Structures are given as structure tokens and as C-alpha cells.
Amino acid sequence: MLTQSSAAVVSATLPAVRAHGEAITRRFYQRMFAAHPELLNLFNRGNQASGAQQAALAAAVVAYAGHLTDPDPATWGPVLDRIAHKHASLGITPGQYTIVGRHLLAAVGEVLGDAVTAPVAAAWDEVYWLLACELVAREARLYAAAGLPEGASVWRPWRVTDRRQETCDVVSFTLTPDDGGEVPRFVPGQYTSVAVDLDGGRGQQIRQYSLAGRPGADHWRIAVKRIRGTGGAPDGLVSTFLHEHVAVGDTLRLSPAFGEVSAVAGDGPLLLISAGIGLTPAMSALEHLAATAPRRSVVLVHADRAGTAHALRGDLPRLHAALPNLRTRLWYEEGDDAALPGVPAEVTGGRVDPELIPLSPDAHVHLCGPLPFMNIVRGGLLRRGVPVERIAYEVFGPGMLRDERS
Ligand SMILES: Cc1cc2nc3c(=O)[nH]c(=O)nc-3n(C[C@H](O)[C@H](O)[C@H](O)COP(=O)(O)OP(=O)(O)OC[C@H]3O[C@@H](n4cnc5c(N)ncnc54)[C@H](O)[C@@H]3O)c2cc1C
Ligand code: HEM
């Protein structure tokens, strides 16, 4: 709880902070990276360049201030969970909150100038630390649940035991712990962070990849789409590195599995909807159900550019054989493809029409794909009466979906 005097100051200054949010975070990053260049290895350079992360952090602090001063605050649990899981997968430590707090509050002072009197600075310091303490506590619980002793590194070396070119843009990697230890369990929908040392001394970069295989198997599997820069933008740093430089026998540093979104929620009908590389959580869900609940009723909806771009579809005949109540509905934008032997799929050309998605009234839905795709599909499902709390979704980048209910 914010003290009453701070709440009044925060309410009064919130519009100014909100209006200058982007300038504040830009200045914050400049200051912080100048003082702590080692943190450049932690943050995503693509997000820095495109401004995506600037917006995410600024938006979170400002939104939290609004939440603290709102007489009727919306629940913040899911937002905090998303951030805490992402932070845990990056190995964020409590000590780093002190660094971020110091530079963020100094940046507020620099950008807003004389408006930041001592009481204003103290009130925003309080907001920052209330949020930071909530995150630190959640992250501590996640580290403990992952079996990490206090202060232990999240990074563990894993050896690449198989590498497959799934489509022209997607490569899958099979990995086993290099220390010979146990393969941690995970819930379909969870991801691992992968840390790579870029060539040419360009430092470390970390990205998340959803686990695409079966929990309980003696290995982990990820599938990585190569991101090519368009319109003058550079190629993706980590996906290009993994495609070009990582072969069988190499080791990669991986975090434990984190992620608050389950792709196998409930025990009734399940609707898995994905587009492009967003299919990795759904594939893990199918592998899991084939081993643990083969009679569960599952609808798999997948959209892709073409059948040849549809990664991991070679696994579908085996999964259909193991899951008698699996129904597959495919949309291939560039036209319907030749039938897949062993897959009784309905295939349509063009883009997904949410009205045509086979829907059971009590289905739990898991959605993953590009944001515009998810907004359209989620909006359509809400209009068709699916309760909002039964639609789980994963965003393969910073941010969340806008609310389509209104
Ligand atoms: C929870 C989660 C799960 C994920 N699961 C998967 C998965 O299973 N498979 C998968 O393939 N991916 C997955 N991702 C995405 C993955 O983490 C990476 O974001 C993706 O591989 C791209 O990383 P990159 O380093 O190759 O690209 P980056 O270097 O991060 O670049 C990203 C984009 O930013 C653009 N960009 C970079 N610099 C600039 C600039 N200066 N100006 C303008 N634009 C710029 C690039 O052109 C590119 O389009 C997941 C993400 C999350 C958060
Ligand atoms: C109260 C303090 C903080 C808030 C409100 C905050 C907020 C956020 C948010 C909203 C995201 C995006 C989550 C998503 O994927 O949707 C994020 C990601 C991230 N945060 Fe934090 N954060 C805080 C503290 C920190 C600290 C202390 C560090 C470490 C120095 C840190 C490092 C990162 C990194 C590396 C990412 C991943 C995105 C990227 O690399 O660009 N954060 N944070």
C-alpha cells in the first residue's frame, strides 16, 4: 500500500510522468548502460533499438502507479506473474533492482526538472520499491521452485544432440544437460532462455524459446525460426546465430523452464490455436497429452504461409495416431496444400476465419502467434461467447494483448 501522502503526490504527478514516460526510460537506459555496461549483455538489443522494451518498462511502472492510486484497481497478479517469469528466466537478481531504481528515479528527475521536489521524488521511490518488492518476492519463489539455491546462477550448459532443418526458415534443436544431471520437468507452454555469445566479440544475448517436446522426456527440444530483417532492419541476432553457428555437439547455456501460461489448462476439451512459429507450445501440449491423456478431446488450429512453411508438421501423423480425439484444422495463406498422409486435417486457403474455428462451449483455449493474428482470433472467440479467463495466450516478445471485449 502506498502511504496516503505519497498517493496524493503520485496522483498529481502521474499525468506528467505518463506524458514523459518514453523520454524518461530512454534517459534511464542511457544512464544505466553508461554506469553498468555489463548489463548490455542482459537486455535485448533488438528491443532496445526498436523501442519495444523502453515502452514495456515505462508502461509497467506508470500503470502500476495508476493501479496503486485507483480506488477500484484491476487485478495486477497476471501482469506481475508475466514479468516475474520473464525476469526469472533471465536470472535477474535483487541487487539489480537497486541499480534500475537508482537510474530510473534519477532519469525522472532529469526529465521533469524542478517539478521533482523532494516529496515527489520520495513518492515515486515508494512506487518503484513497492513494485520491485512484489517482483523480487515472486522471482525468489520461482527460483526456489526451479530448485536453485539462493544466489545460484540460472545458466546450465546443455549439449545439442540433434539438429533438424524443419523448413527453410525453422531449425529444431534437441538438447541434453551437459553435466549429465536430470532433465527438469516443465508444463507445456513454458519456455527456456537461451544465452549465446555472439561472434566477433559482440557480447552475450538472451532469448526465450518455448519448449516444443514432451515434458518428462530425456531431452528438451526447441524450434527456432530464423528472423530476417526487412525494410533495412538487421537480421535477428540470436536466431541467425543459432541457424548459422550451432551444430550437433555444441553446448548452449539454458535457463530452467519458466512461463506462467499453460497450454494444457483444464481437463475438458482443449483448443490449441497457433500461427507460424507460435506452434511450439501447442506441439508440446500434443506430445504431453499423447503420453498422459490420449483420449482428451483436442482441436488443433494452425495458420501458416504454406504447407512447406509449417514446421514440425511431420510429427502430426504420429500424434494423430496417438490421440484418437484430435481434430486438425489448417489454414495455409498461399492456398491449400497437398494432403498430409496420416493427418485427417481440413485444409483451407487464405487466413484464419475465427467464425470457422471448431468450438466446444466448454473448451480451454491456448493461443500463440503474431499479435495481430492473436487479436483477431481472440476477439472472434470472445464474440462467440468464450469467457475471457478461458483464453490463455503467449506473446513471443514483450507486451500483452489489447482487450477486445468492448
Ligand atoms: C515466451 C517466448 C517464447 C518464444 N518461443 C519461441 C519459439 O519457440 N521459437 C522461436 O523461433 N521464437 C520464439 N520466441 C521469440 C524469440 O525469443 C526471439 O525473439 C526470436 O528468435 C528473435 O530473436 P533474434 O535475436 O533473432 O532477433 P532480434 O535481434 O531480437 O530482432 C528482433 C526484431 O527486431 C528487429 N530489429 C533489431 N534491431 C533493429 C533496429 N536497429 N531497427 C529496427 N529493427 C530492429 C529485427 O529486424 C527483428 O525483426 C519466443 C519469445 C518469447 C518471449
Ligand atoms: C520494478 C522494476 C521493473 C519493472 C517494472 C520491469 C518491467 C519489465 C517488463 C514489463 C518487461 C517485459 C515483460 C514481457 O516480456 O512482457 C521486462 C523485461 C525485462 N526486464 Fe524488467 N522490470 C523491472 C526491473 C528489472 C531489472 C532490475 C532488470 C535487470 C537489470 C530487468 C531486466 C529486464 C530484461 C533483461 C527484460 C527482457 C526484455 C529485454 O531484454 O529487452 N528488469 N521488465
Side-chain angles (χ1 to χ4, degrees), residues 72-99:
D72 184 20
T75 167
W76 251 68
V79 181
L80 293 172
D81 276 343
R82 178 176 168 90
I83 303 174
H85 276 271
K86 182 68 70 67
H87 279 171
S89 83
L90 293 155
I92 304 298
T93 63
Q96 288 168 335
Y97 280 87
T98 312
I99 299 173

Side-chain angles (χ1 to χ4, degrees), residues 265 269 271 360-366 382 385-392:
L271 172 56
S360 188
D362 49 348
H364 276 86
V365 183
H366 181 275
L382 291 172
V386 181
V388 68
E389 64 278 4
R390 270 208 254 118
I391 308 178

Side-chain angles (χ1 to χ4, degrees), residues 95-223:
Q96 288 168 335
Y97 280 87
T98 312
I99 299 173
V100 164
R102 185 186 312 134
H103 291 286
L104 188 58
L105 295 164
V108 171
E110 276 185 42
V111 172
L112 297 187
D114 292 344
V116 184
T117 57
V120 170
W124 279 94
D125 187 68
E126 209 178 315
V127 169
Y128 174 81
W129 280 107
L130 280 172
L131 179 50
C133 287
E134 293 230 38
L135 289 171
V136 167
R138 276 178 158 76
E139 287 153 28
R141 283 197 290 272
L142 292 174
Y143 292 138
L148 292 167
E150 202 180 331
S153 165
V154 293
W155 304 113
R156 183 179 181 193
W158 289 64
R159 191 162 296 275
V160 177
T161 52
D162 193 17
R163 175 191 154 122
R164 287 182 194 195
Q165 191 76 42
E166 302 286 350
T167 66
C168 70
D169 277 342
V170 177
V171 163
S172 70
F173 297 93
T174 302
L175 300 133
T176 51
D178 200 33
D179 52 19
E182 276 190 19
V183 176
R185 292 197 73 91
F186 64 92
V187 177
Q190 289 196 303
Y191 52 82
T192 179
S193 281
V194 177
V196 302
D197 298 317
L198 299 171
D199 46 327
R202 287 181 297 156
Q204 174 191 268
Q205 280 287 276
I206 304 170
R207 298 291 183 271
Q208 291 70 43
Y209 293 99
S210 294
L211 293 161
R214 177 174 67 81
D218 62 359
H219 58 268
W220 276 1
R221 186 186 191 202
I222 58 171

